[in-house]
Each structure stands twice: as C-alpha cells, then as structure tokens.
C-alpha cells in the first residue's frame, strides 16, 4: 500500500512538472533543418550523448565514397525538403559545417524484407519511406512521424545515453526492424573499420562499430533491447572482402546466427504485429564497452515507459530553459529565444558512462573521478559566445567542460589542448588554439575549480607547439608568412587573440614573465595590418605584403570563412588599438557602416564556407563566426548607438521561425549563443576580458539564473520593435555612462534596466 | 648494507640455479622447424603469451592476398632452409596446421633506411637480412643470430608477457630499428583492420593492432621501450585508402609525429651507434590495453638486464622439465625427450595481464578472479594426450585451462565451449566438440575445482547445439548423412567419442538420465561401420552406404586428416566393441599389422592435410592425430606385445634430433605429448576413461612429479634399443596381469617397473 502510494505520488508529481512546462513549447527543433542551419529535428536531452533523429539522406552508398558537394548539406543527416526518411540513427552533430556520426540506424518496415536503403527517388526499392511534415512533430526530446510507405508511426525520445524508440505497426506477419550498421553520415568508403554484433537473446542485441572518418579512430558500443521478442532475425555482410575463416562455414550465418562481425553489416529482426501494436526499443550507447552500454540502459531506462522517458527529458529541458525566463514582444520572438536556448544546450555532449568511464585519446579507458567528461568541442565557433554563456548560466557544466579539455591535453600524444574534440579524437578543424580562450575565460570568471597552474601549462604547451599549423613561424616572425599557409592572416589574428587570453590568465596567476611574453604575442595582429589600405593583408616571408589582393574575395586571400572586410575587424582584444590604426572613430565608423550596407554580388561569397546569401547582410557575414563581435565594435567609437540598431537589425534578419530560420550553420550553438546574449542586451566581445559590451535588448524582460544563487534581471522600458535605441541604461539603479559592464558586476546579480527609444541621441 | 647483501644473495642464488640447469640443455627449439613440424625456434617461457621468434617469411605482400600453397609452410613464420630473416615478431603458434599471428615485427638495420621487407631472393632490396645457421643459437627462452647484411647481432629472450630484444650494432650514424605493423603470418589483404600508435616520449611507444584473420575480431596491444633514446623517428602509411581528415594536414606526419593510426603502418627509429653498442628493447603485449601492456612490462621486466631475463626464463623451463627427470639410452634420446617436453609446454598460452584482466569473446574486459586465463586451445589435437599429460604433471594449469574453457562458454554468444580458442575468438577449426573430453578427463581425475554442474551443462549445451556442423542431423539420425558434410564419417566418430566422455562425467555426477542419453549417443560409431567391408564408411541420408568409396584415399571419402584405414579405428571409447565387429582378435590383429606394414604409393597422401611422407609408416599416419591411439589397440587383443614393438618403432621413426626431426605438425604439443607418454611406457587411449594402456618405455628410468606431492617412478630392467618387449611389468611391486593401469593407481604415485626383453612371449 505504502509503496503504491509513493509511486502514485511520484507519477503525479512528474505530471505536475510536465503540466507546468511553459517554456519547452517555444523550442522548435525543426528550425535550422532547411538549407544551411545543419540542425537536426530529432530527440535529445540537454548535452545528451544520444541524438536520436531521422536521416533523410547522408551520402548515398551509390556514390561509392566519392566526395560530392551534395554531402555537405547532410551534416546533421536531415534536410527539410527531402521527401523520404531513411531511418533513425543515434548520433548527430548540431549545426556543424563538417560531419561524421549517424551511427546505428533503425528502420521499421512491413512486408517483403528489403535490406538496402533505396533512393529518395525510388523509396519503394528500399527500406526507406516517404513522409510528410503534416504528420511530423519535433519537440525537445520528442519526435514523431508517420512512415507513409508502410503506415508505421515512429516516435522517438531519449535519456542522456539511451535512445527510446516506439513504433506503432499495422497488422502484419511480416513486420521487420532493420539495424543498419553500414549507415553513417559522411559515409565514405572505408569509413567503416569494423563492426561486431552479438544477439544475446530473443530481445537483446549488443555490439560496436569502429569508424575512421572525421574522427580517425572511433569506436561506439551499443546495447539494444526490444519490448517484444523477435520471432527470427538475420543479417547480411556487404563487405566484398572477407578474410579467411573457412571453418565459419560450419554454421549458416545468414539466419538466426548470433555471433557476427565484419566491415559492412545490416541486420533485421522479424515480428508478427497486431493492428496498432507498439514495439519499443531501448538503444543505449557507450564509448567504452557493450557491458557499459547495458549498464547505461539499466540505470537510465529501467522501465518500458516511453511517455515517462519523454516527460523526464522534457522536464530536463524545461529546467534548462528556466535559467533564462524572458518576456518578448511576440510569440515568434519567444520561439526564436527558446529555440536558441535549445540549440545552445545540445553541445558539447556527454562522453562518459553512468559509471564515469570514458575512452581517452590514448584509447585507454579512463575514469572521470570528479567531473563529467564531454566531447564535441567545436571551439573555433564556441569560444566566442557559447562558453561565455555557459560561464554565466551553466558554470558547473563549463567547469566540467574545461576539466574535459584538460584531460584531453593530458592524454594527447601531441601534448595539446583540443582544437575540435570528437569522441576521443581531435578533428583539428579550423584555426587557432581557442581552448585557451575557453579555459582563460572560465578561470577569469572563477568557474574552473581545477589546478590553475596545470591549466596554464596546458595553454602554453599548446600555444608553443611549433609543428602545429605554423606556430613556429608565428613565434619566429610574429606572423605566418603567406607562402606557408593559405589562411595565414586569419590564423595569425586568431593566434594573437588566443595569446592575449593566455596573458590575462598568466596575469591573474601572477606569472608576470608569461604575461609579458604572451601580451607581446597578442599584438601580432599589427604585423598583418596594412596601414596603407587599412586592411589585414597576407604578408610574405620577406616582410612585404602580398601584391595581388582582393579585400572582398574570400578565396585564396589568406582568410578562412571570411574576407578581409570581415576578418580585418578581428582584434577583439584591442578594439581601441584597431580603431586607432584605422584612423580613429571618424574613419572607423563609416567603415563599419559600409560593411553592413554595401551591396555585393553573389559571386563574392561563392567560396565562403558554410553560408548562403541568407547569412549575409551587406558585406557582413553573420552565418560565419569571425565577425560575430563586429556589431559591438561601435561601442568603442563615438557612436555606440549604432551597435544598438545594428544588433537589433541582425536579430531581425538572421533569426526566424520556420525550418529555414537560421542563415548559416548553428555551429554547435555559437549562432544561438550570439542571439541569447544579444537579445538580453549585452555580448562578450573578448572572452577572458571579463567585459560585456552593451547592445540593445530584444527581450521585454528577462530573469537570468546565474547558477551561483544569483539572479540577473533585465528589464526594459518602452520596448518595441522600432525602439531599438537605448536612451539610458541603469545597473542596480545606477545609470551607466559607458556601454560596458564587467563580469564581476553581472555575476553578482542585480537589475539591468534599459530605457528604449526609437531615436538615437 | 643489508639490502646490498640480499641482492647479492639473490643474484648468486639465481646463478646457482642456472648452473644446475642440466635439463634445459637437451631441449632444442630448432627441432621441427624444417618441413612440416611448424615449430618456431625463438624465445618463450612455458605457456608464455609472447613467442618472440625470427620470421623467415610469412605470406609475401606481393601475393596480394591470394592464397597459395606456399603460405602453409609458414604457420610458425620460420622455415629452416630459408636464407633470410625478415625480422622478429612477437606471437607464433607452435606446430599448427593453420595460422595467424606474427604480430609486431622488429628489425634492426644500418645504412640507408629501407622500409619494405624485400624478398628472399633480393634481401638487399629491403630490410630483411641473410643469415646462417652457423651463427644461430636456439635454446629455451634464448635465440641468437647474426644478421649478416648489416653485421648486427640479434638476441632474444622473454618473460610471460614481454619480449626482450638485444641488438649489437656496428658503428653507425644511420642505425635503425624498424617496427613493421603490416607484417603478419597469413597476412592476407584486409587482415589488418586498424593500427594505432603513440610515441609517448623519446624511448617509449605504445599502440595496438586489430586483425581479422583466422581469429575474426582480434586486437593486440603493445608497449615498447628502448634502452637508449632514439634521435629521430618516422612512419609511412601504406594504405591506399585514407578516410577524409584534411585537417591532419596541419602537421607533417611523416617524421617525428607521435600520433599515428591507419590500416598499414611501418615505423622506424634512428640511432647513432658505437661499434659493438647494444640497444635493448622491451616489448610488452596485452589483450586489453596499452595501459596494461605498460603495467605488464613494469612488473615483469623492471630492469634492463637481458641476461637476468634470459636466465629467469630458463630457470622456469628447468623447473618444468624437472617434472619428469629421465635417463635415456642416448643423448639423442634425451634431446628428443626434453624437446618434446619443451613443445608440450608451449601451448595453451597465457591470455591475461598481470592484473588478471583479459578480453572475453564478447570483447568486454573480464577479470580472472581465481584462475589464469589461457587461449590457443587446439582441442581436436590436444584432448588426446596433451591435456591428459597436464592432468598428470600440470594439474593446476589444467584446472586453469578448464576454467578458461568454461569462461569461454559463459561468454560465447553461441553458448558453446571452445573448438579452437584463439585470442577471444573461436576459429572453429577441425571437427568434434573435444572441449568436453578435456573437461570430463579433468573432472574424472579430480583436477578441475570449479562448479561441476555448470561444467556438465556447458558440455551438454555444446553437444546439443543443433545448428553446429550437423549436430542436429547427428542427433536425429545417429550419424551425419554424407550428402550434408564432406567429413561426415570422421565427424560422426568424433561426436560419438565426445558423447561417451559426457556420459562418464554425468555418471560421476550421478546424472543417470544424461549418462544414458550420451552413452547411447556414444554408440553412434556403429552407424557408420560397414560390417561387409569392416570399415567406417559414409552413409547417405536414406541409410545406404555411399557407393563409390576408396578406403585408401583421403580426399572426398568422408574423413578429415586421415583415410578409412586410419579413421575406422577411431573408437577409443570401445576398443572391445570395435574388435568384436571387426571379427575378433584373429581378424583385427592382422588388420592392424597391415596398417603398419602395407606399402602405399605417394599419391594416396597427396590430399592428406598437414603431413609429408615422413609422417607415415606403411598406411599409418602418425603426423596427423586420428590414429595416435592405434598402436595401443593391440593391448585389447591377444597380442599386446605388438603394442610394445609398434610404439618403440614409431618413437624411433618419427622423432629425431635435427630441424626436420618431426614428421608432421607438432600441433600445439600433441605430437610431443604422445612421445612423452609413450616414452614413459603408457598412454591415455580414451581420455576420461581413467585408464592408461601400457606400451614399451623408451626411458631407462623416469621420476615423474605428479603435482600433488606424489611421485611416480618408472624404471626398466634390461633396457636397450632392441629390447622393445615387456617381459614383466610391476606396479608397486605387484606384477600386472593386464597391460592397463588406472589413473587412481598412477596418480597415487609409486613405482612402475618394466622388465625388457628382445623377444615377445
């Protein structure tokens, strides 16, 4: 009696939390799934290791591994305008511009077994199915769709490490659930290194898949349980080359054979189903072992209750969303805000089992004794605003993330902090060593609790690794000679900023010698500044600037993901110094103005990565990251009100409801973090500076849980879409005379009041 | 002072043991390395996980994976008549007729770096070297050779898990040590699945290699330390297909790059050397992780003392050899005896780290809490005499081996005991389920200490696995129809024997029901006995015997590794029954006589596996196993003295000193175990019967340590090469009236006295 009472109480408590979920409803995972957002619509919990989502295509097997442009759009496995769903796989990056993953695709079918996926044009020739957005629901931690070919309803939800599937079948004596171990995003030939599968009993399957794709050496383990025993099962090995093992011929391995391995396997499980019968699947992942995958499953999903898992996950989302409770001018803005919050809390992802084991870069199993280990660090993107946002509202998680980065360093054969951490690998994607910016920012803001001295050592070791992307040249000459590196200017600029972060950290730790060394290095941006043309410009080994140079083109001019117009403004550590060299406010302001207003023909962006015309305003590229701070640079001039109008303009133009609502890759949350900060009215132009530049809030009001028991309230007076200018701003009742606030002020909590106006001063 | 004293004492103690090594000198690892013995000459300790040995060839890479006859001779990587050594690899099977392994080849060179192995005809075009047997020394746990091309002296020794190399270089500023991760025995294309290497510092390298060869899913980890730091290093990736990882281009990975992975890697390490300078290498293996490999190294080889490691390993051998101290008629016989002891104690091999972790069939890491885990179970061979020998003189090890087999069963997705256990895989090689014979024998002889009920369950589950090699047909019909299986007769015979073992076990455990079921199954040999021709013969599904049938041919007649003449005698569980069906002693004795005396042209053995003409006496094939008990069958007739003369004749003809001293594959020690038993004067015709058949001892005398504190003394009177007949035999003073002794008698210890004579009664 008592036990029943408690359970009933818990259930009703759980329902009552769910009933209060007011914010979850605003988050729309479908936003960004069309064109270049590269987000996925499927189910996941905040920072979840499982991202269970429909794949509409990846790289078709028919391409035989040939790299074609078309693969790029499938970074997240889903494109909104595609007519078919191949199946539901368990891992996806959110918003990246390169990819991997798409592990362990599940697809239910009815009728004659077809083990090949088929093509979008002829879905009936394979196991994939037509679908329609009319039957599609995508909520945080819940995805639902009707698979039209076979009239199967598919529903997905997750816990941190377990994907939970529910398929509602028609009546059939030929119902199948396919497990495709060949499927993968960016599935080049040879990406599959090995797969291993054991059918443990009539409803349990375990195994692993090793891939060598973007992550060079990656193994992901799984455990899968069906709610109903299968009546039979089988597999097919598609690998053309099978090593000698003649004695395996003693078994018929194609049907009901429980011990499988090979490079290219597809499995199927057969069922009889009644009309409307639901078959559930729990699918647990582990970076360590099938044993751990089973333990993850047992701990996280002890019951067969799809709705409970869904609701608990949505409650987790609600809890995260409640960290910033906003009022906005419209429901559409509410959707933009909480979708940004949703996207910002997808990455980095948990990379650790419930028993705290994870695989390190050395491929050994490590125990995260005092932290949660994370992977999926897209640091070139996320050091800018996402990690600063975490420092503000996710300080514990950011502390764990820095611990994860230091562990990565400790395990690295190269003794380097991560550049792009992907499942116990470094993908080395993009330039700079921006780990140091994240670490320095966390330490400046006192969110990192680890060994400070060791963290500084890690930063210095990384920044002085001479053999990594011309760091040696950079140290010797103060810039990267353009002969030696196609992105010599942008890389020089990024190194210089990162060096400034190390200097700040060294100063805080009273290491004057290191401070001076890296402060000097941080001025290297001046070495690629051509004062004649007032642009950053490729410099040759002999010290002369490259002759043929086009400040608008993005291809072959010494930059990555930006042209000279955008990248020449990348001195977040010293806007005053930049403005001075540019000729002072008088010259700098019109220069900035023209960035946002000039008209450029499409051709100038043909070779810019990760962006469509949608992500561009004038010559300002918001869809890529290098200019994300630029609208705030007006704050350092005599016309800070232009920051206010420009930020509000960007918010309006670049963030929409609808599948095509993002103008560029969300980049693991950086695009969304920019929105969240900007909508609140301030932005961390230079992480580790402890300074926020004020802009123009898009919220009507906001209550920000600062995570250390402190609360920051943002409120506006006279807020309206047209009132983009800030007439006065008060912090804790005191009128501010500069458009800046320090982290010390902000993190102590208080009230930030903006008086809005339609006119600038 | 005290500490120094103790160390000196230990050293002198160690040397004094070494000085007493009288038996080690008789063991000649070179025996069996020519022609079909398939043994290796390199260094290893008893049952060691490392078998560090020169490879003279394996399968040349130029073959591009095409299976040719020539590969077969390289099962152990070494053929005595080859002119060159490719290098020294760390894993080798002893005496098998199929292969795998050859992991982690090391080769020292001087001069211009050559990363390809070259060919035997043109060794100067690669890193391999000419060598001569004049400079070659092969002792238990010590191998030495001069690599003539570059004048490098190579010496090898080992501990259980560590290979210890010592290379003596000439003066050079271009000395290299190559680590070839592509090399492997039976190195088919695609055998290498993945390799991963980290250069941890200027003298430490770790990594692993995954292969899919005979073992389908196999990973072996290593840790390697040099006694001297290398001055530089590099690698080459020979894999034609490299998955997308453009950003790795940020590093020059060919030289001094510490973070490597790929399918086909070769590494090199450069040194300056003085004339006569020694560079030592410790190379530790682990089935679990590089971390464990490092721990194995630290625990087993804490010092850089080659001679100490060599001596300690030879002391281990001496200790094993002392388990049977014999006097023989000649030194040549002493060499045969202790070489047999050496070969018998090479397999199974330890498959567990010093911390007791090992990888299971489920690819999870397991802890062997109360046993030592072994792999390399070539059970079709070794159930006959090797495991019975272990029960007598290695009871603790055999107990561990049975524990390992039960663990294999517990981890098997198929719920089967091992058939051919190879590094957390089953190779499924050869017929039968002879694990049950080993388990039953150990339990009948009370050497297995584990859960008896569970062991019986494992035996039954294996013997009733209907989908494994026609077990279902065998259960249903009492034989395997010849339409369904090319070796239907021999497999039926082996199943019947194994069933009898299960019956014995069930009887001992008072499971009358199981006893009766399996006793009945054990009579299935009668179903393939054609009483018209008095041979076992393939039977069709309809119950009729196959028409076209040749009792001499070995190919396509329903047998494996034997013709009808040899295999028709395979009823070790019921010699009396067989003799009765054959027409009694009167007919059976002449039949046996003709087996040993008839002349057959070579063509009859063309298709017999694993054997040359050397392994054949008349029509009796000793180089293969199925007839190993046959010479002892005379004991069940009225002319037991023919067992005596035949056994002595086989000993003389089949075991010689010299590289070609074995007439067939040693088969993980089975050939040698036959010799040891037979030389002592008795043989376990039917393991799990607890009965030994007496023959004619070749020893003058022997003291056998029975391992439970008991001692068995064998002595002879009037022993001579020509005195092959036993006039009288006494056990503990009592004259025996039958040529049999029970294990109960034998294992209690005592004295077995043979009175020898040149004439039979």
């Amino acid at each position: 009696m008592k036990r029943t009472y408690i359970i009933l109480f818990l259930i009703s408590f759980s329902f009552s939390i769910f009933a209060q979920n007011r914010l979850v409803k605003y988050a729309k995972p479908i936003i960004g799934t069309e064109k270049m957002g590269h987000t996925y619509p499927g189910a996941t919990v905040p920072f979840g290791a499982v991202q269970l989502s429909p794949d509409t295509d990846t790289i078709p097997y028919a391409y035989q591994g040939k790299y074609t442009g078309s693969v790029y759009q499938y970074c997240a496995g889903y494109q909104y305008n595609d007519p078919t769903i191949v199946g539901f796989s368990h891992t996806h990056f959110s918003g990246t511009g390169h990819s991997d993953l798409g592990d362990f695709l599940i697809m239910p079918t009815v009728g004659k077994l077809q083990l090949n996926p088929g093509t979008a044009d002829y879905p009936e020739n394979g196991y994939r199915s037509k679908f329609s957005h009319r039957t599609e629901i995508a909520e945080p931690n819940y995805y639902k769709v009707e698979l039209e070919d076979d009239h199967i309803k598919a529903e997905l939800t997750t816990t941190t490490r377990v994907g939970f599937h529910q398929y509602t079948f028609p009546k059939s004596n030929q119902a199948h659930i396919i497990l495709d171990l060949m499927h993968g995003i960016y599935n080049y030939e040879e990406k599959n290194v090995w797969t291993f599968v054991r059918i443990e009993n009539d409803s349990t399957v375990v195994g692993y898949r090793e891939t060598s794709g973007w992550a060079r050496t990656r193994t992901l383990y799984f455990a899968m349980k069906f709610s109903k025993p299968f009546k039979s099962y089988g597999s097919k090995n598609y690998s053309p080359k099978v090593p000698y093992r003649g004695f395996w011929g003693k078994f018929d391995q194609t049907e009901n054979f429980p011990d499988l391995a090979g490079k290219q396997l597809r499995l199927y499980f057969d069922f009889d189903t009644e009309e409307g019968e639901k078959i559930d699947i729990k699918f647990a992942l582990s970076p360590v072992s099938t044993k751990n995958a089973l333990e993850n499953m047992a701990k996280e999903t002890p019951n067969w209750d799809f709705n409970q898992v869904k609701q608990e996950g949505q409650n987790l989302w609600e809890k995260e969303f409640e960290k910033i409770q906003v009022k906005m001018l419209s429901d559409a803005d509410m959707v933009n805000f909480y979708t940004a919050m949703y996207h910002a809390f997808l990455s980095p992802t948990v990379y650790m089992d419930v028993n705290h084991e994870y695989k390190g870069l050395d491929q050994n199993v490590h125990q995260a004794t005092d932290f949660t280990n994370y992977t999926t660090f897209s640091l070139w993107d996320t050091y800018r605003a996402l990690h600063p946002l975490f420092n503000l509202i996710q300080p514990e998680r950011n502390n764990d993330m820095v611990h994860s980065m230091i562990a990565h360093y400790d395990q690295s054969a190269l003794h380097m902090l991560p550049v792009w951490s992907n499942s116990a690998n470094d993908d080395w994607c993009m330039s700079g060593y921006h780990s140091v910016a994240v670490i320095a920012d966390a330490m400046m803001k006192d969110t990192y609790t680890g060994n400070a001295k060791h963290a500084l050592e890690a930063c210095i070791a990384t920044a002085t690794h001479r053999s990594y992307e011309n760091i040696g040249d950079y140290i010797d000459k103060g810039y990267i000679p353009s002969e030696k590196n196609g992105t010599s200017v942008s890389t020089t600029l990024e190194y210089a900023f990162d060096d400034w972060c190390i200097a700040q950290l060294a100063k805080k730790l009273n290491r004057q010698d290191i401070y001076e060394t890296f402060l000097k290095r941080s001025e290297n941006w001046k070495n690629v500044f051509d004062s004649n043309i007032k642009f950053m410009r490729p410099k040759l080994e002999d010290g002369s600037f490259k002759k043929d140079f086009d400040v608008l083109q993005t291809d072959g001019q010494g930059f990555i993901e930006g042209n000279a117009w955008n990248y020449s403004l990348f001195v977040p550590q010293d806007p005053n110094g930049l403005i001075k060299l540019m000729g002072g406010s008088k010259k700098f302001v019109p220069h900035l103005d023209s960035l946002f207003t000039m008209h450029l023909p499409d051709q100038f962006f043909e070779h810019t990565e990760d962006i469509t015309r949608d992500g561009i305003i004038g010559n300002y590229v918001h869809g890529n990251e290098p200019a994300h701070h630029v609208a705030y640079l007006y704050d350092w001039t005599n016309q800070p009100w232009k920051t206010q109008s420009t930020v509000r303009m960007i918010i309006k133009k670049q963030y929409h409801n609808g599948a095509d609502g993002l103008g560029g890759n969300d980049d693991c949350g950086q695009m969304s973090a920019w929105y969240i900060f900007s909508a609140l009215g301030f932005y961390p132009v230079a992480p580790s500076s402890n300074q926020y530049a004020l802009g123009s809030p898009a919220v009507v009001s906001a209550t920000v849980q600062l995570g250390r028991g402190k609360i920051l309230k943002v409120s506006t007076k006279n807020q309206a879409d047209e009132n983009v200018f800030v007439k006065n701003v008060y912090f804790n009742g005191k009128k501010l005379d500069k458009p800046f606030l320090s982290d010390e002020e902000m993190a102590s909590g208080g009230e930030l009041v903006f008086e809005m106006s339609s006119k600038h001063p």
Side-chain angles (χ1 to χ4, degrees), chain A residues 604-616:
Chain A
F604 283 105
F605 296 95
E606 263 172 18
H607 296 282
T608 303
E609 298 86 349
D610 302 345
I611 188 78
T612 57
R613 190 77 216 185
D614 297 344
I616 295 161

mmCIF file of all heavy atoms in Angstrom, chain A residues 604-616:
data_model
loop_
_atom_site.group_PDB
_atom_site.id
_atom_site.type_symbol
_atom_site.label_atom_id
_atom_site.label_comp_id
_atom_site.label_asym_id
_atom_site.label_seq_id
_atom_site.Cartn_x
_atom_site.Cartn_y
_atom_site.Cartn_z
ATOM 1 N N PHE A 604 30.946 36.990 -54.726
ATOM 2 C CA PHE A 604 31.959 37.195 -53.699
ATOM 3 C C PHE A 604 31.858 36.171 -52.566
ATOM 4 O O PHE A 604 32.780 36.011 -51.791
ATOM 5 C CB PHE A 604 31.873 38.618 -53.127
ATOM 6 C CG PHE A 604 32.467 39.630 -54.062
ATOM 7 C CD1 PHE A 604 31.651 40.473 -54.804
ATOM 8 C CD2 PHE A 604 33.841 39.706 -54.228
ATOM 9 C CE1 PHE A 604 32.192 41.392 -55.673
ATOM 10 C CE2 PHE A 604 34.381 40.625 -55.106
ATOM 11 C CZ PHE A 604 33.559 41.475 -55.843
ATOM 12 N N PHE A 605 30.725 35.526 -52.515
ATOM 13 C CA PHE A 605 30.575 34.565 -51.420
ATOM 14 C C PHE A 605 30.509 33.122 -51.896
ATOM 15 O O PHE A 605 30.264 32.221 -51.124
ATOM 16 C CB PHE A 605 29.346 34.924 -50.581
ATOM 17 C CG PHE A 605 29.527 36.254 -49.929
ATOM 18 C CD1 PHE A 605 29.026 37.395 -50.519
ATOM 19 C CD2 PHE A 605 30.262 36.364 -48.767
ATOM 20 C CE1 PHE A 605 29.235 38.635 -49.933
ATOM 21 C CE2 PHE A 605 30.478 37.604 -48.182
ATOM 22 C CZ PHE A 605 29.963 38.748 -48.769
ATOM 23 N N GLU A 606 30.772 32.970 -53.166
ATOM 24 C CA GLU A 606 30.716 31.621 -53.728
ATOM 25 C C GLU A 606 31.619 30.650 -52.979
ATOM 26 O O GLU A 606 31.295 29.501 -52.788
ATOM 27 C CB GLU A 606 31.143 31.642 -55.198
ATOM 28 C CG GLU A 606 29.966 31.686 -56.140
ATOM 29 C CD GLU A 606 30.426 31.897 -57.577
ATOM 30 O OE1 GLU A 606 31.609 31.677 -57.861
ATOM 31 O OE2 GLU A 606 29.569 32.301 -58.388
ATOM 32 N N HIS A 607 32.777 31.144 -52.597
ATOM 33 C CA HIS A 607 33.744 30.240 -51.987
ATOM 34 C C HIS A 607 33.790 30.360 -50.468
ATOM 35 O O HIS A 607 34.672 29.815 -49.827
ATOM 36 C CB HIS A 607 35.137 30.477 -52.579
ATOM 37 C CG HIS A 607 35.203 30.148 -54.030
ATOM 38 N ND1 HIS A 607 35.285 28.859 -54.496
ATOM 39 C CD2 HIS A 607 35.149 30.950 -55.121
ATOM 40 C CE1 HIS A 607 35.315 28.876 -55.823
ATOM 41 N NE2 HIS A 607 35.233 30.124 -56.228
ATOM 42 N N THR A 608 32.879 31.128 -49.919
ATOM 43 C CA THR A 608 32.843 31.206 -48.465
ATOM 44 C C THR A 608 32.158 29.955 -47.929
ATOM 45 O O THR A 608 31.075 29.601 -48.371
ATOM 46 C CB THR A 608 32.059 32.442 -48.002
ATOM 47 O OG1 THR A 608 32.665 33.591 -48.576
ATOM 48 C CG2 THR A 608 32.080 32.559 -46.494
ATOM 49 N N GLU A 609 32.809 29.313 -47.009
ATOM 50 C CA GLU A 609 32.267 28.074 -46.482
ATOM 51 C C GLU A 609 31.042 28.336 -45.610
ATOM 52 O O GLU A 609 30.937 29.392 -44.969
ATOM 53 C CB GLU A 609 33.317 27.354 -45.618
ATOM 54 C CG GLU A 609 34.578 26.931 -46.348
ATOM 55 C CD GLU A 609 35.622 28.038 -46.416
ATOM 56 O OE1 GLU A 609 35.297 29.201 -46.081
ATOM 57 O OE2 GLU A 609 36.753 27.736 -46.837
ATOM 58 N N ASP A 610 30.168 27.356 -45.574
ATOM 59 C CA ASP A 610 29.150 27.266 -44.528
ATOM 60 C C ASP A 610 28.123 28.376 -44.540
ATOM 61 O O ASP A 610 27.579 28.735 -43.490
ATOM 62 C CB ASP A 610 29.801 27.247 -43.130
ATOM 63 C CG ASP A 610 30.767 26.101 -42.987
ATOM 64 O OD1 ASP A 610 30.716 25.195 -43.829
ATOM 65 O OD2 ASP A 610 31.543 26.115 -42.034
ATOM 66 N N ILE A 611 27.830 28.966 -45.659
ATOM 67 C CA ILE A 611 26.988 30.145 -45.623
ATOM 68 C C ILE A 611 26.219 30.252 -46.939
ATOM 69 O O ILE A 611 26.698 29.882 -47.983
ATOM 70 C CB ILE A 611 27.883 31.401 -45.409
ATOM 71 C CG1 ILE A 611 27.043 32.632 -45.168
ATOM 72 C CG2 ILE A 611 28.849 31.632 -46.551
ATOM 73 C CD1 ILE A 611 26.539 32.630 -43.763
ATOM 74 N N THR A 612 25.002 30.712 -46.839
ATOM 75 C CA THR A 612 24.301 31.083 -48.061
ATOM 76 C C THR A 612 24.080 32.586 -48.004
ATOM 77 O O THR A 612 24.384 33.241 -47.011
ATOM 78 C CB THR A 612 22.922 30.401 -48.163
ATOM 79 O OG1 THR A 612 22.179 30.749 -47.008
ATOM 80 C CG2 THR A 612 23.071 28.904 -48.291
ATOM 81 N N ARG A 613 23.511 33.103 -49.046
ATOM 82 C CA ARG A 613 23.188 34.535 -49.126
ATOM 83 C C ARG A 613 22.370 34.952 -47.902
ATOM 84 O O ARG A 613 22.466 36.092 -47.447
ATOM 85 C CB ARG A 613 22.408 34.762 -50.421
ATOM 86 C CG ARG A 613 22.184 36.206 -50.789
ATOM 87 C CD ARG A 613 23.444 36.818 -51.378
ATOM 88 N NE ARG A 613 23.535 38.213 -50.941
ATOM 89 C CZ ARG A 613 24.453 39.059 -51.348
ATOM 90 N NH1 ARG A 613 25.400 38.667 -52.180
ATOM 91 N NH2 ARG A 613 24.467 40.286 -50.904
ATOM 92 N N ASP A 614 21.575 34.006 -47.362
ATOM 93 C CA ASP A 614 20.733 34.335 -46.205
ATOM 94 C C ASP A 614 21.549 34.788 -44.999
ATOM 95 O O ASP A 614 21.050 35.518 -44.153
ATOM 96 C CB ASP A 614 19.936 33.091 -45.753
ATOM 97 C CG ASP A 614 18.984 32.626 -46.828
ATOM 98 O OD1 ASP A 614 18.721 33.407 -47.767
ATOM 99 O OD2 ASP A 614 18.501 31.490 -46.713
ATOM 100 N N GLY A 615 22.773 34.325 -44.925
ATOM 101 C CA GLY A 615 23.576 34.617 -43.746
ATOM 102 C C GLY A 615 24.376 35.903 -43.877
ATOM 103 O O GLY A 615 25.261 36.164 -43.070
ATOM 104 N N ILE A 616 24.060 36.717 -44.881
ATOM 105 C CA ILE A 616 24.885 37.887 -45.170
ATOM 106 C C ILE A 616 24.034 39.156 -45.149
ATOM 107 O O ILE A 616 22.906 39.175 -45.645
ATOM 108 C CB ILE A 616 25.544 37.716 -46.563
ATOM 109 C CG1 ILE A 616 26.511 36.522 -46.507
ATOM 110 C CG2 ILE A 616 26.279 38.978 -46.981
ATOM 111 C CD1 ILE A 616 26.866 35.968 -47.850
#
